[in-house]
Structures are given as structure tokens and as C-alpha cells.
Amino acid sequence: MRESLRAIEGDGLKRRPVLPFGVGALDGRLASTGLRLDSLHEIAATTPDASDDAAATLFMAGIAARAWGPVLWVVRRRDLFAPGLYQAGLAPERLLYAEAADDAELLALMEEGLRHRGLGAVVGEVQRAAMANTRRLQLAAEGGRTIALLQKRHAREDRNPLAVPSAAVTRWRIGSAPSVPLPGHLAEDALGRACWHVSLVRQRGGEPFETILEACDETGRLALPARLANRKIASGGADQRQAA
């Protein structure tokens, strides 16, 4: 009986609005079978390298692209590459930009955007955010349908941006990975879609995991690399034959 009540009450995960990735390798391992829309999610690049930082930014852009409505993106420096965001599915006409003088102002602008309730996503990039700051963002998001995405940038090369405790429902580490050659081509002749190493460092109500995925397409969607998808299909077929 207690287990049944916990399943019904729990954290209310099943009753909350969710944005699935549409990739079983992710959705099937997330406690809420997707990203909760009424919550804060943190993202950090695997390393301070520019390619990893770009992967983390585009990972957020893909999520925001698949959310409903306008997107508020709060920055501290004007380094966003609009064509890159567009290639990840985030059209310019959906974007509202705000520039903050420091992390404190950026977090305040994000909180105000979340409380507005008229935005599909609120995105920000900071170097430092204490537990109290992330708790305010999480509370501001709860009860709505606006997803909050906070990128923790590397303040120093030897510092882990996700080392500070956070109230975020999920915490991700994103880095670039070797691209996979297109079938029937040599690696130097035809590279496929860019690949990312996607690591879910922490999630509320679930276990961490990591996987390799193809980068966002023009609709903001990730995908399993062809070699992994084919391996999964072949494995499933073998399992079915054994069961028969």
C-alpha cells in the first residue's frame, strides 16, 4: 500500500507537463520520460574548449526549439551565433534577447521571465549560481509550462561548473564526440551529422547515465548514431529469435 501511494503521490512527475526528446535512449532513462517543462535544468560543457561550449549551447537551443512559444535568452556577452541556433531549430523570430551586467542580474531576469508565464523557454548562461539562486528559479518555474535552461560556464579550466549543489531537476554535461562517417563512404570523404557525448550527471527520481547522440537537426531533435541504432535493431531481432 505504501509503495502504491508513493507511486501515485511521489513528486508528481507523471502529472507535470513534459517535453520528450523523442529518443528512447534518453526518454526511457529519464524519471519523467522527458524534460519537465515546469522546472530548472542545468547544462555545462564537458571542458572549457570552444567545441564543447558550442555543443552545450546548441543542446539548449534544440530543447528551446521544441518548446512552445517565444524564447527568452539572457546573456552576459554577445557571443551567440544566430545562424547556429537556427540550424538547431531555433528560429530568430521566436527569440527575445536580454543582456545582463552580471550573474545576479541575469538570474533576476530569468526569474522574471519564468514568472511571466507567456514564454516557452527561458535560457541563461552564468559562471556562478548558488543553491539559493537555483531554488528561486525552480520555484518560479513550478506551476507553469516554461522550461528553464541554465548553462553553467567554466570559470576556470580546473573547476567543475556542476560542483556547486543545485535545485535543478536535471543536470547535464555535453561535449563534442567524433562524427560517424556516412554508410558506404570513407571517413575522410563524407562525415555524417556531428555527434555529442551526452551525460546526465544528476536527475531527481532517477539514475545518472551517459550516451553518444547525433547533434540537433533543423527541428531541434537529437538522434542515435546510425551504428548504434543498427546495433540496437540487430540485438532486438536476435532477442526475438531466441524468445521464439
Side-chain angles (χ1 to χ4, degrees):
M1 176 64 76
R2 289 176 183 172
E3 292 181 0
S4 298
L5 289 174
R6 277 197 294 268
I8 294 171
E9 295 172 357
D11 191 28
L13 292 178
K14 294 184 179 179
R15 301 195 193 103
R16 296 174 185 264
V18 171
L19 179 68
F21 282 97
V23 180
L26 287 182
D27 295 334
R29 301 175 75 176
L30 286 167
S32 51
T33 67
L35 291 177
R36 277 174 43 183
L37 289 177
D38 64 340
S39 299
L40 170 66
H41 306 273
E42 281 187 354
I43 297 92
T46 302
T47 71
D49 188 81
S51 61
D52 287 350
D53 190 75
T57 300
L58 294 176
F59 179 78
M60 293 193 303
I63 295 170
R66 294 182 295 105
W68 67 276
V71 175
L72 172 64
W73 200 305
V74 190
V75 298
R76 282 196 56 193
R77 54 189 185 187
R78 302 179 184 181
D79 61 348
L80 284 178
F81 186 55
L85 301 183
Y86 182 70
Q87 289 180 350
L90 194 50
E93 59 268 20
R94 291 185 58 199
L95 271 168
L96 303 170
Y97 294 103
E99 188 172 358
D102 53 30
D103 284 348
E105 184 178 13
L106 184 146
L107 292 164
L109 288 171
M110 285 188 67
E111 184 178 345
E112 185 176 347
L114 290 168
R115 295 191 186 282
H116 182 268
R117 300 299 197 229
L119 300 169
V122 173
V123 188
E125 309 163 19
V126 297
Q127 288 189 336
R128 295 177 182 84
M131 171 64 89
N133 300 127
T134 58
R135 186 177 290 116
R136 288 183 66 91
L137 292 179
Q138 175 59 31
L139 290 173
E142 287 182 358
R145 294 177 58 244
T146 304
I147 193 168
L149 304 170
L150 181 65
Q151 182 173 354
K152 293 282 193 71
R153 288 189 177 273
H154 287 258
R156 299 195 308 264
E157 287 194 9
D158 59 345
R159 183 172 181 176
N160 176 11
L162 300 181
V164 178
S166 170
V169 171
T170 65
R171 307 184 82 186
W172 302 80
R173 188 177 287 117
I174 311 298
S176 56
S179 297
V180 180
L182 292 170
H185 296 77
L186 296 175
E188 61 270 20
D189 293 335
L191 288 178
R193 216 156 116 190
C195 287
W196 296 337
H197 184 269
V198 176
S199 177
L200 180 58
V201 178
R202 175 187 173 275
Q203 64 168 321
R204 189 181 299 175
E207 298 296 324
F209 63 86
E210 56 186 75
T211 187
I212 301 293
L213 293 170
E214 290 186 343
C216 296
D217 63 10
E218 66 279 1
T219 68
R221 297 190 178 279
L222 302 166
L224 273 179
R227 70 176 190 277
L228 297 181
N230 291 338
R231 187 184 306 164
K232 184 175 180 181
I233 292 172
S235 174
D239 292 342
Q240 290 174 4
R241 287 192 297 271
Q242 289 176 5

